[in-house]
Amino acid sequence: MRAGDTAKRGNGRAPGATQPSARALAAAVQDSGLVIGDDGLARPPWAAVDPLLRAYYDTEWGMPVRDERGLFERLALESFQSGLSWATILRKREAFRAAFDGFDADVVAAYGERDVARLLADAGIVRNRAKILATIGNAAATVRLRAEGGLADFIWSFKPAVTPVPRTLAEVPTVSESSVALSKALRRRGFTFVGPTTMHALMEATGMIDTHLVGSHRRGSSGVWPPQR
C-alpha cells in the first residue's frame, strides 16, 4: 500500500549500498528465516510467495511517505487492517481509493450519513462502520492538524533517533516508545484507531524505521537509514 508519490529506486538498494557476499547471505538466511526467491533475493516469508505482497515489499514497504494525502491513506488503511491480513487490504487498495475520493482529507472530512451508507454498501472495501467513521473523523483531524504544521510533519516528528536492526523474525518489534508516543499524541488531537501497534506498523511502512531483516535485499533501501548489515 503506497500513496501516489511512492519513490522507486531501481533494484531497491540505497545509493552506495553493497550486497553482502554469497557466504554472508547464506549464513543470514539460515539463521534469520529469510527466504531466497527464484531471483536470488532474500525476503521475509510474508513477502516470499504471494506475487502482490512480493511486489509491495520490493517497491513500496518501508519507503518514505512525506505528504499529507499519502500519510492519511496509510493511516486509514492501517486502521482498516486491524484484525485482518494485510494482503486483504492490499487487494482492496484501489477500491478504497475510489470509495474515499483518493483520500483527499478535505473531501472525506465533509462526508455525511449518505456517504457512510454508500461505504457500508460497497463490497469492494472493508464494510466496518466503526472504521469508516474513524476514517471520516481522522480526515477532519488531519485538516485541523494543518494549524500545527500538517499531518506529515507531525508524524515524522516522532521518528526515533535509531532504528531496530533485526537479524531474525523474532527480533522484529511490534511496538516501540515512539509508536506509543505517536499514538497518544494523535489521540489527543482527535484521531481514533491509532493504537501503538498500528502506529508502529505505520512507521515501518512509511520509512520512519527500518525493520527489514539484516540480509534482506531491501535493508537500507529507503535512504533514511544506513543498511547496517
Side-chain angles (χ1 to χ4, degrees):
M1 188 280 302
R2 172 63 68 177
D5 68 329
T6 300
K8 293 189 170 126
R9 296 173 179 257
N11 60 11
R13 295 194 297 274
T18 58
Q19 286 289 77
S21 67
R23 179 178 297 179
L25 180 58
V29 168
Q30 181 177 359
D31 295 338
S32 68
L34 287 166
V35 177
I36 298 293
D38 54 10
D39 55 2
L41 300 178
R43 302 175 179 86
W46 69 264
V49 179
D50 187 310
L52 183 66
L53 289 174
R54 176 166 155 167
Y56 171 66
Y57 180 80
D58 283 353
T59 64
E60 300 185 42
W61 189 71
M63 298 301 287
V65 179
R66 297 182 183 272
D67 67 297
E68 179 187 273
R69 188 179 297 222
L71 279 170
F72 174 53
E73 176 183 341
R74 285 285 191 151
L75 191 70
L77 294 184
E78 293 288 355
S79 299
F80 272 102
Q81 188 271 334
S82 180
L84 303 171
S85 73
W86 180 245
T88 296
I89 301 302
L90 197 58
R91 291 188 175 93
K92 293 176 177 289
R93 174 172 59 173
E94 293 306 322
F96 271 111
R97 285 176 170 171
F100 284 94
D101 289 285
F103 291 100
D104 183 320
D106 290 295
V107 175
V108 177
Y111 282 0
E113 281 303 317
R114 182 173 297 179
D115 293 290
V116 173
R118 168 180 61 81
L119 292 166
L120 286 170
D122 190 340
I125 66 170
V126 174
R127 293 179 286 182
N128 180 298
R129 185 179 181 86
K131 292 177 181 180
I132 289 170
L133 292 176
T135 300
I136 297 170
N138 288 348
T142 295
V143 173
R144 292 194 301 271
L145 199 54
R146 292 172 187 163
E148 297 185 49
L151 182 67
D153 286 349
F154 185 82
I155 288 179
W156 274 88
S157 72
F158 288 86
K159 174 181 170 288
V162 297
T163 186
V165 188
R167 296 180 180 276
T168 68
L169 294 173
E171 293 179 1
V172 179
T174 58
V175 70
S176 67
E177 289 185 10
S178 294
S179 73
V180 171
L182 174 59
S183 172
K184 289 179 178 178
L186 287 172
R187 284 171 169 167
R188 285 196 296 269
R189 286 157 179 81
F191 289 81
T192 56
F193 274 86
V194 290
T197 301
T198 299
M199 291 304 93
H200 185 80
L202 178 75
M203 294 168 73
E204 290 180 298
T206 59
M208 291 177 64
I209 54 175
D210 186 349
T211 56
H212 290 290
L213 294 180
V214 173
S216 166
H217 82 103
R218 294 291 289 164
R219 182 77 195 176
S221 60
S222 70
V224 177
W225 302 99
Q228 296 176 293
R229 296 190 185 281

